Amino acid sequence: MTLRQWALDGKIPFTWVGRERRFSCVDVEDMTRGGDSTTVRSRLELLYVRVSGSSGQEFSLEAQEAELRATSTGEIVKVVEDRGSGLKENRPGLNRVLAMVSDGSVSVVRVTHEDRLARFGVGWLKRLFAVYGVTVEVLHPKKLGGRDELLEDFVCLATTFAGRLYGMRSADNRRRLLTESGQCSDKGRVW
């Protein structure tokens, strides 16, 4: 009951998982050790921006960052940029986000759109972050449901795989043309 009251009074951060409140064990320990129940954990924000391509989309990164900065209500600890597909699990920027969440450096991870964080599995990331007392805030949440959301997910998946397939074909064709022209060895290296 005490923990619930602290949450209602805004003295301890929490996240909703279904119909239950979840609290960070670090925050609970701080509240019980400190004895001062008026201390509120400061809002430490991590801004995460991502584009799918490796180059030519700097404007999009800058626009995402500017929008997140303009709506910030806490201290911005770091801005993490990533360049790569939202389906790729091992992105350097996402790995930095996970490290900062797990070491307690931030209390909020903010993104402009949910798919900037990941194309699929954002729910799992939110649950993981909640274990550390970190919330995910999406500036423009999806307003879809049911079939529309399923259709959008399918289109994203098909688009992503088509792009990868075309990229692989392009690399194969380039290698084949270089080999035929005599500018390339049989291992695909340019002489």
Side-chain angles (χ1 to χ4, degrees):
M1 293 302 290
T2 303
L3 196 53
R4 186 182 309 169
Q5 191 58 51
W6 285 346
L8 291 172
D9 294 341
K11 295 179 180 177
I12 188 168
F14 67 93
T15 57
W16 287 101
V17 177
R19 295 175 59 188
E20 297 177 351
R21 289 182 186 94
R22 296 290 167 96
F23 303 90
S24 162
C25 57
V26 174
D27 292 329
V28 173
E29 288 173 14
D30 288 347
M31 290 294 288
T32 55
R33 249 187 288 129
D36 180 12
S37 61
T38 61
T39 306
V40 179
R41 183 177 176 196
S42 61
R43 183 177 166 90
L44 304 173
E45 297 182 2
L46 182 145
L47 310 183
Y48 180 73
V49 296
R50 182 186 67 79
V51 292
S52 296
S54 58
S55 64
Q57 297 180 331
E58 285 74 20
F59 177 76
S60 180
L61 287 172
E62 293 168 5
Q64 288 177 52
E65 181 180 343
E67 192 172 12
L68 290 169
R69 282 186 181 279
T71 57
S72 174
T73 59
E75 176 189 346
I76 297 174
V77 176
K78 187 161 183 80
V79 177
V80 177
E81 292 182 0
D82 238 341
R83 289 174 171 79
S85 170
L87 288 174
K88 187 176 177 187
E89 295 171 345
N90 192 20
R91 286 175 272 147
L94 183 59
N95 289 336
R96 283 192 297 275
V97 170
L98 291 169
M100 291 182 75
V101 164
S102 66
D103 72 13
S105 302
V106 298
S107 59
V108 180
V109 174
R110 300 186 67 234
V111 292
T112 55
H113 296 84
E114 197 171 80
D115 70 350
R116 296 298 86 199
L117 195 55
R119 285 288 183 185
F120 301 102
V122 173
W124 292 108
L125 286 173
K126 287 180 179 179
R127 282 186 177 171
L128 174 65
F129 292 1
V131 168
Y132 294 100
V134 176
T135 58
V136 175
E137 288 183 2
V138 180
L139 203 55
H140 305 292
K142 286 184 182 179
K143 292 187 171 109
L144 300 174
R147 288 184 186 157
D148 292 337
E149 187 172 355
L150 182 61
L151 182 60
E152 184 181 289
D153 287 346
F154 177 74
V155 169
C156 286
L157 190 61
T159 302
T160 301
F161 283 110
R164 281 186 167 176
L165 181 61
Y166 292 141
M168 289 169 38
R169 281 187 196 162
S170 175
D172 289 343
N173 285 336
R174 207 172 325 148
R175 200 173 300 114
R176 182 181 52 80
L177 288 171
L178 286 172
T179 301
E180 288 173 1
S181 69
Q183 296 179 11
C184 195
S185 73
D186 44 334
K187 293 189 178 182
R189 295 185 193 134
V190 177
W191 290 358

